[in-house]
Amino acid sequence: MDIEETAVKARAFSYFRAATIDQALDAHARAGDDARFIAGGQSLVPALSLRLQAPRLLIDITHIDELRGVRREGGYLRIGALTRHCEMLSEPLIAEFAPLLRAAAPFVAHPAIRNRGTFGGSVALADPASEFPAMTLALDAEIEIAGATGTRRVKADDFFIDLFETALQPGELITAVYVPLFKADQRFAFDELARRRGDYAMVGCGMLATCTGKRIDDIRISFFSVGNTPTRVKGAEATLIGSGLDAERIAAAQAALEGDLAPPDSDEVPPAMRLHLARVLLGRLLGRLGEGA
Amino acid sequence: MSGFDETKLDDADETVRVRFVVNGRKVACEVAPRETLVDCLRNTLELTGTHAGCEMGACGACLVQLDGRAVHSCLMFAVQADGANISTIEGLTESGVIADLQAEFHRRNALQCGFCTPGMLVNAQELLSQVAQPSRGEIRDALSGNYCRCTGYEAIVDAIDAVAKARSEGGGTT
């Protein structure tokens, strides 16, 4: 066996650069769904190199103009699937109308990864340790999906099903994510705990609250790195709605996490430690949210 | 506009022709679709200054500039770069744009074995093109995806810090 064969590299595949969504969907179908769409490829290329995936066909969607751009559409900000992580940091519309995503963006991997990785790709992969998929939950976002039968929109609440499993069917493609526009009576907070900046978080959390003065009328809190999917903590949310953010309320929300989260066994971060870190992080973020009120 | 040609599925390892501009020169080469950009640069174009380390986007040794921005050449296939403008450490050296960084790395012993250095320099140049006066914390944060197993990073941060200050004062490094 020569060195070429022993090297850790992708299995041979064909490559097709699609110019339109229809071309991309058609190519996927004609490969008998033994195909993968590639955009930024920052997770897919290592998966191919390690042969965790070995499709016959790679469909490059990065030259499809329809998947680009960030713009207002009704009460939503439409974020094109190909929006790169670095654009989440630099795009003024994101900072103004989806500031929670702007706050999360610096925590996504490293600068060079952010130059290639795409927002749609991150949501499609649904890595439970990733920032953006979890934030779509906190934002009550909707994911626009193109498939053979047309385009549909799925609520983030219904999108994440299990470990790396989403509502996406074989051959379907995320075209955009719709985020309700940030309003004057809303507040947000984001942070994560990682051993080193840029590493996967041991626990991360983002939240979006709608307030009247100091009273919380509605709040959505989403955690990542706590289980098989990004996770909303509805028990904790319920303890907070209708009241102000005093120490007692915050403690009640922290206590509710025990019923909301069931962290998996892990040698690196045992479940009890992860739950503890989640409580600490929730307390910090609610404190910050209260200071802003 | 051409759609997908199904016959392509049967010749997955057939090479395809890609064209890009590398270090200011137009280049055309034949690559298999599964060939990563770093392998193409090193093996086909013999630009071995770009280093293949972890080959999964963790170590940062393979960073190059793609259309002006730092990217991992191990995290893309050469076919994806068709039509792009690429600068490797060789081109950045030749053009002189990072001469001050290189001199400062040298002066402060910000390298020992040198394996990480091309990636460090590409990333440092990226940082300084985005943020004129980064704090030491920002420099460390920007380098979080570049592994160095020799220096302990301190001298690297020093060197970038010194160049940032010198550049923003409009002069050269001391």
Side-chain angles (χ1 to χ4, degrees), chain A residues 4 14 73 129 167 227 243:
Chain A
E4 292 257 325
S14 299
E73 226 179 85
S243 59

Side-chain angles (χ1 to χ4, degrees), chain B residues 129-150:
Chain B
S129 71
Q130 304 288 312
V131 188
Q133 284 254 50
S135 65
R136 290 183 73 85
E138 286 175 308
I139 294 171
R140 286 191 164 278
D141 191 33
L143 294 180
S144 64
N146 289 71
Y147 290 176
C148 172
R149 293 303 187 222
C150 302

Side-chain angles (χ1 to χ4, degrees), chain A residues 9-10 12-17 23 27 30 38 42 45-46 51 56-58 110 112-113 115-116 196-197, chain B residues 1-2 4 6 8-9 12-13 33-34 39 55 63 69-71 74-75 79-80 82 126 141 144-145:
Chain A
K9 290 292 156 73
F13 54 78
S14 299
Y15 171 85
F16 172 61
R17 187 178 278 195
Q23 275 188 7
R30 288 209 272 158
I38 187 164
Q42 302 298 283
V45 174
R51 301 202 180 194
R56 289 174 76 196
L57 175 67
L58 207 59
H110 310 291
I113 304 271
N115 285 342
R116 290 286 297 165
R196 297 186 337 151
R197 182 69 174 263
Chain B
M1 186 163 49
S2 60
F4 174 60
E6 245 167 288
K8 281 174 103 177
L9 288 171
D13 231 4
R34 64 165 153 174
D39 285 344
E55 300 193 64
L63 291 183
R69 298 299 295 263
V71 305
C74 75
L75 288 188
V79 282
Q80 291 175 274
D82 188 25
E126 164 98 1
D141 191 33
S144 64

Side-chain angles (χ1 to χ4, degrees), chain A residues 25 73 126 169 191 259 272:
Chain A
L25 298 176
E73 226 179 85
Q169 298 299 306
D191 211 345

Side-chain angles (χ1 to χ4, degrees), chain A residues 213-277:
Chain A
K214 288 191 180 298
R215 193 188 70 224
I216 291 184
D217 297 323
D218 191 27
I219 188 165
R220 294 172 67 95
I221 305 172
S222 179
F223 275 87
F224 51 99
S225 270
V226 291
N228 282 356
T229 62
T231 307
R232 259 183 80 192
V233 287
K234 294 181 184 175
E237 290 173 4
T239 63
L240 296 165
I241 291 172
S243 59
L245 281 171
D246 52 49
E248 200 182 327
R249 277 294 111 195
I250 292 177
Q254 286 174 305
L257 285 185
E258 185 139 22
D260 285 325
L261 299 175
D265 257 330
S266 147
D267 290 340
E268 232 173 87
V269 189
M273 176 179 167
R274 215 184 283 268
L275 192 58
H276 169 75
L277 293 175

Side-chain angles (χ1 to χ4, degrees), chain B residues 81-139:
Chain B
D82 188 25
N85 194 326
I86 298 160
S87 296
T88 67
I89 192 65
E90 289 90 346
L92 295 170
T93 300
E94 228 171 90
S95 71
V97 292
I98 57 166
D100 51 355
L101 276 166
Q102 289 169 310
E104 205 60 22
F105 268 58
H106 182 226
R107 199 172 81 81
R108 292 173 183 267
N109 293 322
L111 68 155
Q112 183 178 309
C113 83
F115 192 84
C116 72
T117 313
M120 287 285 181
L121 290 167
V122 170
N123 208 357
Q125 179 67 5
E126 164 98 1
L127 172 67
L128 298 185
S129 71
Q130 304 288 312
V131 188
Q133 284 254 50
S135 65
R136 290 183 73 85
E138 286 175 308
I139 294 171

Side-chain angles (χ1 to χ4, degrees), chain A residues 101-263:
Chain A
L101 294 176
R102 171 65 182 75
F107 293 87
V108 180
H110 310 291
I113 304 271
R114 295 199 290 266
N115 285 342
R116 290 286 297 165
T118 66
F119 185 60
S122 176
V123 174
L125 180 65
D127 188 322
S130 281
E131 291 81 3
F132 287 144
M135 292 313 99
T136 64
L137 277 178
L139 290 165
D140 197 14
E142 293 174 27
I143 292 118
E144 184 183 70
I145 298 168
T149 55
T151 297
R152 64 197 174 103
R153 265 160 80 160
V154 177
K155 286 221 163 237
D157 278 323
D158 302 320
F159 184 76
F160 303 102
I161 294 170
D162 207 335
L163 188 63
F164 296 111
E165 187 188 346
T166 68
L168 279 173
Q169 298 299 306
E172 287 189 324
L173 182 64
I174 292 182
T175 47
V177 175
Y178 285 78
V179 177
L181 297 177
F182 185 69
K183 295 171 200 71
D185 60 352
Q186 288 186 316
R187 304 182 199 292
F188 67 94
F190 177 93
D191 211 345
E192 66 181 44
L193 301 170
R195 289 201 165 91
R196 297 186 337 151
R197 182 69 174 263
D199 276 0
Y200 282 112
M202 294 183 284
V203 171
C205 178
M207 57 184 67
L208 181 73
T210 307
C211 311
T212 305
K214 288 191 180 298
R215 193 188 70 224
I216 291 184
D217 297 323
D218 191 27
I219 188 165
R220 294 172 67 95
I221 305 172
S222 179
F223 275 87
F224 51 99
S225 270
V226 291
N228 282 356
T229 62
T231 307
R232 259 183 80 192
V233 287
K234 294 181 184 175
E237 290 173 4
T239 63
L240 296 165
I241 291 172
S243 59
L245 281 171
D246 52 49
E248 200 182 327
R249 277 294 111 195
I250 292 177
Q254 286 174 305
L257 285 185
E258 185 139 22
D260 285 325
L261 299 175

